[in-house]
Amino acid sequence: MDIRLEGIGHSYDNVEVMREISLEIPAGRIVCIVGPSGCGKSTLLRIIGGLERPTQGRVLQIGVPPEGCLNPLTYVFQDFALLPWRSVHGNVSLVLEDHGIPDAEADEIIADVLARTKLSDFAKALPRQLSGGMKQRVAIARALAVKPAVLLMDEPLSALDSQTRELLMDDLVSLYARQPFTAIYVTHNLNEAVRLGHSIVVLSRRPGQIREVVHLDRPLQERALGDPELEARQKYLWDLMRAEARAADAELVNV
Amino acid sequence: MSNATMNSDAARGRPVAFRGGGFAPRPQRWVAFVVFAALIALAEWGTRVGWISPLTLPRPSDVLATFRDLISTGLLFDHMGPSLARLAVGSAIGVAAGIGTGILIGLFSHVRSGLVPVVAALFPIPKIALLPLFVIWFGIGEGSKYALIAFGTFTPTVVATYGAVDNVDRTLIRMGQSFGLSWISIVRKIVLPGAMPGILSGMRISLAIAIILLVAAEMLGAEYGIGAYILEAGSLYDLERLFAGVVILSLLGVLVSAAIGVVERRLLAWRT
């Protein structure tokens, strides 16, 4: 299933936060959206997943979601959004409970996604017992459990320390290698973008507009920490964004 | 201190003085017992020696003797039974209605706008003043007693519940919506458990109010009940019996509070 954005524009009260964003997200690719803070990247992601209404334009799903898909557009949130009163198993089962899946089948799905995210031993643990990286892996497992057509990832690694972030990036890459998925990945971290993105959409500061789309053809598994070509791409992206980021930093926050 | 010793002190190094700690009270079980025992011992000693006259305060040992009589004659249970039933039925109705209303106020703008002022208007009314009204509405029997306790526990429960619902993490609700959970699932699996800490701490207050109102409810037309017992003792200036009744009420309060503590440990084990 592909996603197409047609002329998305959005304003809060009288502040225009994004303008004329048109974009195609083809199935099986990871599209990263980067931009200075306040450029509306998270808002854009909420619009794509139907959690917010754009003031202009529309988001289209093209084609049908894959078979067995319970929730075509599925989020992974920056702050994990796990229910603290449910165990790891319970947090994953939450999203299956409304679909009338028989218990045995649900348990199978949960066991499978926990295995894929290396959490099988922690099924009974409560979120407060887990590290940040593990919590985000639970959130990823939960997202995978509904067999999404498109994963909408809102700064999924931004709440983690840099070592955990490296580990989770490896996990995401190996998940992708096993079974390619479609994702829109919002981040402010350019290193994540060049490691995980097949294409990288650079937004300008408010009102957010597409400045450039950078394509990276190298397969994800071959991208490693400190790769000179990736470093060069990252520097290129940073040069694109530096002035914008500085200007955005100096703005007053009133959104 | 001379310059020379200061220099040598500095050279050898001084341990950094500890200045953290405090500001973190921890429960010390036995302290409460010691305080209680000391207060009772003081009263006993005062009444025996004579600087507290028996008209001011009954002797604790006499109160204890009265209490023993209550148990041996079986009167205690005659009084406790109806009282506990009234407390249970009345507060169950009040708390259940309060939680329901509180959740509706927490979730729907129109209900909120419509009912918050009503609740604010009802809250400060001394419910005891409405007792005659309840007698007219629900009769002089158990109905008016249930109604008084239910009404008294209702308002604090509503206020605690909608405050607790307001405090439920909105990102969790967004998460529920983003996974396509039904409205009822979001309320049942996210809003209610998220509001539970606030609801339970509100219940501590509601149930204490329920015990206060229990005595008020038994002022009218109750033959048996802790409230009836205390009021009868009071009108006869029988201080030993009055105090025995008051002690029962206090114990009831402690028990209810402990019971909520147990429920909290069960339901809120997920909190650190």
Side-chain angles (χ1 to χ4, degrees):
Chain A
M1 193 179 87
D2 300 355
I3 296 283
R4 185 188 296 155
L5 312 186
E6 288 182 349
I8 301 284
H10 196 62
S11 328
Y12 289 113
D13 300 324
N14 288 320
V15 184
E16 192 182 22
V17 286
M18 67 186 73
R19 183 187 292 170
E20 274 299 311
I21 295 186
S22 296
L23 190 63
E24 189 97 16
I25 295 107
R29 311 278 280 177
I30 299 178
V31 174
C32 288
I33 299 177
V34 297
S37 62
C39 71
K41 22 184 214 303
S42 291
T43 309
L44 183 62
L45 201 68
R46 284 204 296 278
I47 289 173
I48 296 173
L51 287 182
E52 208 157 323
R53 270 199 197 98
T55 24
Q56 269 146 41
R58 56 185 187 160
V59 182
L60 296 175
Q61 306 181 25
I62 296 159
V64 286
E67 197 164 333
C69 168
L70 301 174
N71 189 44
L73 303 171
T74 297
Y75 284 90
V76 175
F77 298 94
Q78 177 177 357
D79 53 7
F80 324 127
L82 300 177
L83 302 184
W85 48 86
R86 283 197 178 215
S87 65
V88 168
H89 182 280
N91 265 289
V92 180
S93 87
L94 173 79
V95 299
L96 300 171
E97 285 163 10
D98 271 11
H99 296 282
I101 299 170
D103 281 353
E105 199 180 318
D107 281 339
E108 226 168 86
I109 296 175
I110 296 167
D112 172 53
V113 293
L114 291 185
R116 276 157 71 188
T117 46
K118 297 179 236 164
L119 287 166
S120 302
D121 294 341
F122 303 98
K124 288 200 178 74
L126 284 173
R128 70 175 152 92
Q129 299 171 291
L130 303 177
S131 67
M134 296 243 274
K135 282 184 198 157
Q136 194 55 291
R137 287 193 344 238
V138 177
I140 292 169
R142 176 178 65 189
L144 294 175
V146 292
K147 301 198 173 61
V150 180
L151 274 176
L152 304 173
M153 310 181 93
D154 186 7
E155 309 231 11
L157 308 185
S158 297
L160 307 175
D161 62 76
S162 59
Q163 294 157 23
T164 315
R165 194 178 302 169
E166 277 300 325
L167 293 174
L168 252 110
M169 268 198 266
D170 292 344
D171 289 348
L172 284 174
V173 169
S174 63
L175 274 175
Y176 185 88
R178 271 186 61 173
Q179 192 177 37
F181 53 84
T182 317
I184 303 172
Y185 188 109
V186 163
T187 180
H188 62 258
N189 183 316
L190 299 179
N191 178 248
E192 284 170 33
V194 296
R195 291 280 295 282
L196 297 171
H198 294 102
S199 49
I200 299 164
V201 178
V202 183
L203 293 184
S204 66
R205 77 187 152 103
R206 201 168 63 220
Q209 283 173 290
I210 296 180
R211 275 201 63 179
E212 195 168 329
V213 181
V214 176
H215 294 280
L216 286 172
D217 294 325
R218 174 129 37 136
L220 296 188
Q221 305 92 287
E222 293 172 19
R223 303 181 191 181
L225 184 63
D227 183 312
E229 189 200 323
L230 293 184
E231 300 257 308
R233 286 305 186 104
Q234 192 177 330
K235 179 160 188 316
Y236 173 74
L237 287 171
W238 175 233
D239 289 340
L240 266 179
M241 277 174 58
R242 186 202 301 271
E244 301 262 1
R246 176 155 299 159
D249 185 49
E251 261 171 39
L252 288 176
V253 180
N254 55 1
V255 179
Chain B
M1 209 188 288
S2 76
N3 257 346
T5 55
M6 255 176 77
N7 282 341
S8 74
D9 251 12
R12 266 185 282 119
R14 262 179 307 137
V16 174
F18 176 66
R19 49 182 173 172
F23 299 100
R26 259 174 296 164
Q28 308 277 353
R29 249 163 224 282
W30 51 272
V31 177
F33 292 108
V34 171
V35 171
F36 267 110
L39 284 176
I40 292 170
L42 187 71
E44 181 75 30
W45 177 65
T47 44
R48 272 182 199 278
V49 172
W51 56 267
I52 303 177
S53 90
L55 272 179
T56 330
L57 199 70
R59 194 175 289 174
S61 51
D62 289 347
V63 174
L64 192 70
T66 313
F67 204 75
R68 221 176 275 138
D69 277 355
L70 261 181
I71 297 175
S72 62
T73 55
L75 262 177
L76 177 68
F77 308 102
D78 291 346
H79 287 299
M80 282 298 268
S83 281
L84 287 180
R86 286 167 194 148
L87 195 62
V89 174
S91 52
I93 296 171
V95 166
I99 291 176
T101 312
I103 286 176
L104 293 180
I105 290 178
L107 293 179
F108 299 105
S109 323
H110 283 94
V111 180
R112 168 172 302 231
S113 311
L115 287 189
V116 168
V118 175
V119 171
L122 292 180
F123 208 163
I125 300 175
K127 311 300 178 290
I128 301 167
L130 297 180
L131 189 56
L133 191 66
F134 286 132
V135 171
I136 296 170
W137 286 356
F138 303 102
I140 193 117
E142 295 300 295
S144 57
K145 297 175 182 62
Y146 295 156
L148 183 72
I149 295 172
F151 194 45
T153 48
F154 174 74
T155 38
T157 309
V158 171
V159 172
T161 304
Y162 84 74
V165 171
D166 287 350
N167 276 331
V168 173
D169 191 349
R170 296 294 121 166
T171 59
L172 294 182
I173 295 176
R174 293 280 166 277
M175 181 277 291
Q177 291 177 318
S178 81
F179 277 95
L181 265 60
S182 64
W183 184 87
I184 193 75
S185 278
I186 291 178
V187 171
R188 207 162 59 81
K189 296 169 188 169
I190 299 176
V191 175
L192 250 185
M196 202 45 86
I199 292 176
L200 285 177
S201 63
M203 266 178 68
R204 277 183 196 278
I205 297 167
S206 321
L207 293 183
I209 292 176
I211 296 177
I212 295 173
L213 289 175
L214 173 69
V215 178
E218 288 173 346
M219 287 201 309
L220 266 184
E223 194 183 345
Y224 287 109
I226 301 299
Y229 176 80
I230 291 178
L231 286 163
E232 191 195 295
S235 57
L236 298 173
Y237 279 87
D238 186 343
L239 290 189
E240 280 84 22
R241 287 175 61 196
L242 180 78
F243 267 75
V246 169
V247 167
I248 293 173
L249 286 182
S250 292
L251 287 178
L252 200 56
V254 173
L255 279 180
V256 165
S257 165
I260 293 179
V262 170
V263 174
E264 276 182 339
R265 273 195 293 282
R266 274 284 182 81
L267 288 184
L268 307 182
W270 49 272
R271 290 198 302 191
T272 32

